[in-house]
Amino acid sequence: MADAIDASPLVDGFGRAIRYVRVSVTDRCDLRCMYCMSEDMSFVPRSEVLTLEELERVCSAFIALGVRKLRLTGGEPLVRRGAMTLVRALGRHLAAGSLDELALTTNGTRLAHHAAELAEAGVRRVNVSLDTLDPGRFRAITRRGRLDRVLDGIAAAQDAGLTVKLNCVALKGVNEDEFDRLVGWCGDRGLDLTFIEVMPLGDIDGSGGFSRADQFLPLSEVRERLARRWTLVPDAYHSGGPARYVRVAEAGIRLGFITPLSGSFCDSCNRVRLTATGSLALCLGRAESVELAPLLRACPASDQPLIAALRAAVARKPEAHEFGTARCPALAAAGRLMNLTGG
Ligand code: SAM
Ligand code: SF4
């Protein structure tokens, strides 16, 4: 007889219930955004990446422990062969009522191809990363991407009935002259928009002359500048993620700000991250993690040890991130790369 599973919710040592897991389904990507990867990026060996079945197994264990929202990310989730098989498998939890939301964060390059299938599998929302509307600048930031493919992807996602939100990393001297245009463009298309502060993850600075410290732009400044052109109305909306929101009266959209460096959102943190290699990262801005791959492989037949490991890991979730502190360099040294951990 199968052992009974203790399905009480996951709560960390600070009383925060964990309801949201972000899953990096691959560390690989078809782009090389300058703030995320180095130009000559080396990826982890394929043998170290969790199989689709292992990813599904960990996600299902989390769902059994009360997680209600999953976000697939990466790397670029849609470049992984079989990604849609995983999406469909996880979509069954939506149909069963054990999961509220299955979302995706994507660079959009393959979205035109997959949008309808994502919608069919139960995905309702996708976040598309787009830092500029200028094709040349897009190519420079991503070091290889084609803007038209992303724009086609956004249109296809909207046609398929998906709610699309744009994520834009605010970069001093790179795209700061475009923020008003982006707000207007999103307003015309009914897309919400979130600005993100660039975070010092992974030791990639200096690659191609890019320095995240030099290009860091506090979102307090971005907000102040936007407020000169638009009426920003405070909005109590909470997506379950770290963004804080306002409504842009003239554009009719919601505008989010994710401020890991200039503001703290740790008190209400409800999430953990699973990396593509099966590390459970308890906080994006801390080096601590727990390796699940050895356990998955040692215990293929029972989920009890996995469940116990998830509980023990969550109990150790740190109280707050260390971005902007003296310990921050430890993050780079620990190899906490955005593409492996999942943004
Ligand atoms: N490839 C997908 C994409 O670009 O949307 C998903 C993975 S990507 C790592 C997720 C998000 O992280 C993107 O919105 C990206 O702009 C953001 N990101 C990557 N590196 C970052 C950094 N160093 N600081 C802040 N945001 C970053
Ligand atoms: Fe790829 Fe996303 Fe990183 Fe850009 S931000 S390199 S699209 S993983």
Side-chain angles (χ1 to χ4, degrees):
M1 196 179 82
D3 300 331
I5 284 176
D6 170 8
S8 56
L10 285 170
V11 179
D12 76 1
F14 302 93
R16 297 172 297 192
I18 302 304
R19 300 288 189 192
Y20 180 4
V21 179
R22 294 194 178 206
V23 182
S24 174
V25 304
T26 175
D27 65 326
R28 289 169 168 72
C29 188
D30 51 345
L31 304 182
R32 296 288 182 278
C33 301
M34 57 190 188
Y35 46 75
C36 178
M37 295 192 183
S38 62
E39 184 131 38
D40 56 344
M41 192 68 188
S42 41
F43 296 102
V44 296
R46 281 183 203 279
S47 59
E48 289 177 23
V49 174
L50 292 192
T51 64
L52 294 171
E53 292 74 21
E54 287 168 335
L55 285 169
E56 187 196 342
R57 191 174 160 204
V58 179
C59 290
S60 298
F62 268 120
I63 292 168
L65 292 175
V67 161
R68 303 295 306 181
K69 175 171 174 178
L70 293 176
R71 176 174 294 282
L72 304 183
T73 175
E76 173 47 40
L78 295 178
V79 303
R80 176 142 189 195
R81 200 173 301 141
M84 292 310 303
T85 309
L86 178 66
V87 172
R88 279 192 300 273
L90 296 174
R92 288 200 273 275
H93 293 285
L94 295 167
S98 47
L99 185 66
D100 294 333
E101 186 173 347
L102 176 61
L104 195 81
T105 300
T106 173
N107 63 26
T109 59
R110 299 186 181 199
L111 197 49
H113 186 61
H114 292 293
E117 218 181 330
L118 286 168
E120 262 165 45
V123 172
R124 294 288 165 264
R125 299 202 312 175
V126 292
N127 288 357
V128 179
S129 302
L130 185 61
D131 306 322
T132 176
L133 291 167
D134 178 274
R137 193 176 272 182
F138 183 80
R139 176 161 285 271
I141 293 174
T142 62
R143 297 197 182 103
R144 58 189 61 186
R146 276 185 40 193
L147 178 67
D148 56 341
R149 292 183 59 180
V150 178
L151 301 187
D152 288 350
I154 293 171
Q158 287 195 293
D159 287 348
L162 299 172
T163 300
V164 181
K165 184 184 72 124
L166 293 197
N167 281 343
C168 171
V169 179
L171 298 163
K172 192 184 210 156
V174 177
N175 61 356
E176 59 182 322
D177 57 344
E178 274 195 78
F179 298 157
D180 283 328
R181 183 179 173 209
L182 268 164
V183 170
W185 191 85
C186 286
D188 291 343
R189 288 159 185 77
L191 304 167
D192 288 342
L193 170 66
T194 291
F195 287 107
I196 308 176
E197 281 175 355
V198 68
M199 290 177 267
L201 285 164
D203 192 11
I204 60 163
D205 281 5
S207 165
F210 176 73
S211 153
R212 287 173 296 195
D214 292 348
Q215 277 151 355
F216 175 70
L217 185 59
L219 292 189
S220 49
E221 202 175 312
V222 173
R223 187 173 166 156
E224 220 175 274
R225 286 192 221 164
L226 288 170
R228 287 180 210 148
R229 161 80 178 75
W230 308 92
T231 312
L232 307 182
V233 185
D235 189 316
Y237 173 77
H238 208 268
S239 65
R244 296 290 169 266
Y245 293 91
V246 295
R247 282 209 82 85
V248 185
E250 298 83 352
I253 61 165
R254 194 174 274 137
L255 193 60
F257 298 94
I258 301 184
T259 56
L261 271 78
S262 66
S264 179
F265 43 61
C266 302
D267 290 354
S268 59
C269 184
N270 60 352
R271 61 202 161 273
V272 291
R273 291 175 150 83
L274 180 66
T275 76
T277 54
S279 278
L280 189 64
L282 301 166
C283 168
L284 185 61
R286 295 279 291 241
E288 294 91 342
S289 55
V290 174
E291 300 306 323
L292 298 177
L295 186 85
L296 288 169
R297 287 160 195 177
C299 309
S302 165
D303 279 342
Q304 288 284 10
L306 173 61
I307 299 250
L310 297 183
R311 278 199 191 286
V314 164
R316 288 178 40 215
K317 182 174 162 66
E319 186 172 16
H321 68 68
E322 288 177 334
F323 290 128
T325 71
R327 281 180 47 81
C328 200
L331 273 176
R336 178 55 59 80
L337 284 162
M338 196 68 156
N339 64 305
L340 181 62
T341 312

